[in-house]
Amino acid sequence: MTVTIVGSQLGDEGKGGIVDVYGEEADVVVRYQGGDNAGHTVVHEGEEYKLSLVPSGAIRGKVNVLGNGCVVNPRTLFDELDALRERGLDPDVRVAERAHVILPYHRLLDGIEEEVKSEDDDEIGTTGRGIGPTYEDKAGRRGVRVGDLLDQSVLRERLEYAVPQKRALVEDVYGLAIDDLDDPEALDLEALYDEFAGYGERLAGEEMTVNAGDFLADRLAAGDNVMFEGAQGTVLDIDHGNYPFVTSSNPTAGGAAVGSGVAPGAVGDGEVVGIVKAYLSRVGSGPMPTELGGVPGDTPGYDGDPENPETEREELATYIREEGHEFGTVTGRPRRVGWLDVPMLRHAARVNGFTGLAVNHIDTLAGLDEVKVGHTYRLDGEALDTMPATTEKWADCEAEFRSFDGWDDCDWADVAAEGYDALPENAKTYLEYLEAELDAAVYAVGVGPGREETVVRENPF
Ligand code: GDP
Ligand code: IMO
Ligand code: MG
């Protein structure tokens, strides 16, 4: 059977940790979209693993697949694999021949476009990994696929088409001199060819490439358990998120089929577990109706003025950010934080068809007198219980809050060992409210970052 793990909010909900918890019974773990823009954390026996491309099943020694819907930077992939091997793991990672390759010029163009947009304060706040430009080339039918790296004449042909276009874009559209760039080799055909043909040889030598759809169909037919590991989250989905402040792929559950080559029925017949952070965090720009405080440069219209009249909210934001370690995995930049946004979650539950929920960071909110949620929005005098389709309307939504009594800090490892009933009563009231609003049962509750700090109520396999 299949279990699909999907972020229900804006990324960083704790997907990696839940993949690790439920991964015990998985045989194969598959990433189906995104690339090294992800940062998934697994904490086990005091060791912390931060994974950007290698699926989180690697920590448990599972077979891992990067599906055709992923964009793969071979530099990052091999760096990550080497680093994991140095730590004593032996990750088995297969890469779809149909997946697209992130080339150095994609990263370069990601940076240039963000720079240009920032002149009008319109930047997305991307991770700078070249994700958008790579998916653009995929849709524009000028991409390089993993399978192309294995055939040097095909690789050369693809680069001979793409590289002159990228050079012209940089020089003639953006008006930059290539020789003055930090990395002029990003646009040097021969240098690119040499480096990427080398990755092709390594991929072939380590027998890492697969026809992912065939591979997974065989594994499912043999009765294996397959877990799909979504990256990013529903509101970062290019179709169902808050465009243009999104990533360029489909993290939502439908993406698991398209991005891996299994039939939609295989995903739909399985379980789809929505990962929910008990509050909300956001990296980068875009609206956030339940935001507390702000982060200069990311929160629209917020310059970090210490005389801000909203000091109380600012203090709460700082408290939650520090308790929850809400700083970017790679960049260390502070994440924006806010109360849980329930209209957002209703949208996510519908678009993904959650059969269950995992709610993380219940421990982070412990110690607060009051925990709030944005229960509905008010827009132009009307109440809304889900997100509007346009970002402009979403930005105009005002959250209408509901208040819950807080819960005390406790020994969370003990709670996890004892099980769901041992959770503080007020935390259970909060979780039951979510179950009722989203019409899905809480399968797991995160009470700390470690594998053993998860209350497992139901195993979806
Ligand atoms: P992902 O991108 O969805 O996999 O999430 P990230 O790894 O980017 O961010 C989640 C962060 O919160 C990581 O540092 C996790 O170790 C941590 N984390 C996950 N679940 C919990 C939880 O229940 N409580 C606490 N305190 N930390 C958690
Ligand atoms: P995980 O899998 C949080 C955000 C970026 C930016 C937007 C577009 O760890 O949850 P991109 O580089 O994808 O073109 O950036 O999406 N973003 C994430 N935010 N968690 C992530 O991944 C993210 N991946 C991308 O901050 O706003
Ligand atoms: Mg993350």
Side-chain angles (χ1 to χ4, degrees):
M1 73 168 286
T2 68
V3 171
T4 304
I5 300 295
V6 181
S8 62
Q9 295 154 317
L10 287 152
D12 304 328
E13 298 91 348
K15 299 175 291 293
I18 297 295
V19 168
D20 177 66
V21 167
Y22 287 142
E24 185 176 9
E25 299 197 18
D27 298 293
V28 185
V29 178
V30 189
R31 281 271 311 265
Y32 55 89
Q33 45 70 236
D36 56 343
N37 49 347
H40 294 182
T41 315
V42 174
V43 179
H44 178 52
E45 289 180 344
E47 291 281 318
E48 185 180 63
Y49 300 91
K50 298 226 170 255
L51 304 164
S52 68
L53 202 47
V54 171
S56 301
I59 309 306
R60 284 191 183 263
K62 305 294 171 175
V63 175
N64 301 280
V65 176
L66 294 174
N68 54 277
C70 293
V71 285
V72 180
N73 186 331
R75 282 184 185 170
T76 333
L77 176 62
F78 287 124
D79 283 352
E80 205 162 280
L81 285 171
D82 291 344
L84 290 170
R85 285 185 184 130
E86 268 172 35
R87 292 178 72 177
L89 296 175
D90 183 22
D92 177 348
V93 178
R94 321 291 175 96
V95 188
E97 287 158 352
R98 288 186 165 95
H100 279 249
V101 177
I102 301 181
L103 286 133
Y105 52 74
H106 292 123
R107 274 200 183 204
L108 174 75
L109 290 165
D110 194 351
I112 294 174
E113 192 159 356
E114 283 282 280
E115 186 76 36
V116 170
K117 284 184 176 169
S118 74
E119 285 163 18
D120 296 318
D121 262 352
D122 283 338
E123 74 274 23
I124 309 293
T126 71
T127 60
R129 299 292 186 273
I131 305 296
T134 308
Y135 280 113
E136 266 179 62
D137 278 356
K138 170 178 177 176
R141 292 160 297 186
R142 65 183 94 80
V144 175
R145 303 203 297 177
V146 167
D148 301 339
L149 300 180
L150 307 182
D151 183 328
Q152 299 193 346
S153 63
V154 175
L155 173 61
R156 181 168 282 281
E157 208 178 297
R158 298 269 188 269
L159 291 174
E160 279 174 353
Y161 183 77
V163 175
Q165 284 193 10
K166 304 302 176 198
R167 293 181 70 93
L169 189 57
V170 169
E171 288 181 316
D172 304 339
V173 176
Y174 293 117
L176 300 170
I178 292 173
D179 287 339
D180 295 344
L181 297 172
D182 287 343
D183 178 21
E185 294 214 331
L187 292 162
D188 180 320
L189 200 152
E190 289 309 322
L192 291 169
Y193 174 80
D194 288 345
E195 182 180 352
F196 283 77
Y199 295 133
E201 281 170 10
R202 184 162 173 192
L203 286 165
E206 296 186 23
E207 295 181 358
M208 287 174 68
T209 59
V210 285
N211 179 337
D214 272 359
F215 180 80
L216 294 173
D218 288 348
R219 301 298 298 240
L220 284 168
D224 277 1
N225 282 336
V226 175
M227 179 173 280
F228 293 103
E229 176 176 1
Q232 290 80 51
T234 301
V235 183
L236 293 172
D237 185 287
I238 189 156
D239 286 281
H240 303 290
N242 80 299
Y243 193 90
F245 301 105
V246 292
T247 191
S248 299
S249 67
N250 291 115
T252 46
V258 181
S260 71
V262 307
V267 176
D269 288 345
E271 296 254 10
V272 179
V273 182
I275 314 304
V276 180
K277 184 178 276 187
Y279 48 96
L280 187 62
S281 68
R282 171 159 215 164
V283 186
S285 312
M288 195 170 165
T290 60
E291 184 163 19
L292 285 161
V295 172
D298 282 344
T299 305
Y302 177 77
D303 59 6
D305 176 4
E307 301 297 311
N308 193 309
E310 309 276 9
T311 317
E312 210 172 300
R313 280 173 42 191
E314 197 78 39
E315 278 170 14
L316 197 50
T318 306
Y319 175 81
I320 295 175
R321 184 176 300 120
E322 282 172 4
E323 288 293 306
H325 304 286
E326 295 297 349
F327 297 89
T329 311
V330 184
T331 56
R333 63 177 165 158
R335 295 175 181 155
R336 298 162 66 190
V337 296
W339 292 124
L340 198 65
D341 185 325
V342 181
M344 173 189 289
L345 293 177
R346 292 188 193 103
H347 169 70
R350 181 190 54 75
V351 76
N352 294 296
F354 293 148
T355 56
L357 306 171
V359 184
N360 285 321
H361 282 274
I362 283 293
D363 57 309
T364 303
L365 295 180
L368 297 175
D369 293 337
E370 180 190 34
V371 175
K372 290 202 210 177
V373 302
H375 176 71
T376 49
Y377 298 144
R378 185 148 292 271
L379 176 66
D380 299 332
E382 278 184 43
L384 290 185
D385 60 12
T386 187
M387 288 175 68
T390 74
T391 295
E392 290 67 27
K393 281 195 181 152
W394 191 41
D396 286 341
C397 285
E398 269 185 43
E400 303 207 301
F401 291 96
R402 253 193 206 191
S403 176
F404 289 80
D405 289 334
W407 48 90
D408 290 334
D409 214 358
C410 50
D411 188 326
W412 296 105
D414 281 358
V415 170
E418 276 182 57
Y420 188 83
D421 287 340
L423 282 165
E425 282 308 316
N426 289 345
K428 279 190 276 188
T429 305
Y430 190 72
L431 295 167
E432 281 155 21
Y433 159 80
L434 272 181
E435 289 185 317
E437 292 300 322
L438 306 184
D439 195 21
V442 170
Y443 283 180
V445 185
V447 292
R451 187 186 288 172
E452 287 75 23
E453 290 160 317
T454 310
V455 177
V456 179
R457 199 186 191 188
E458 187 92 40
N459 186 332
F461 278 118

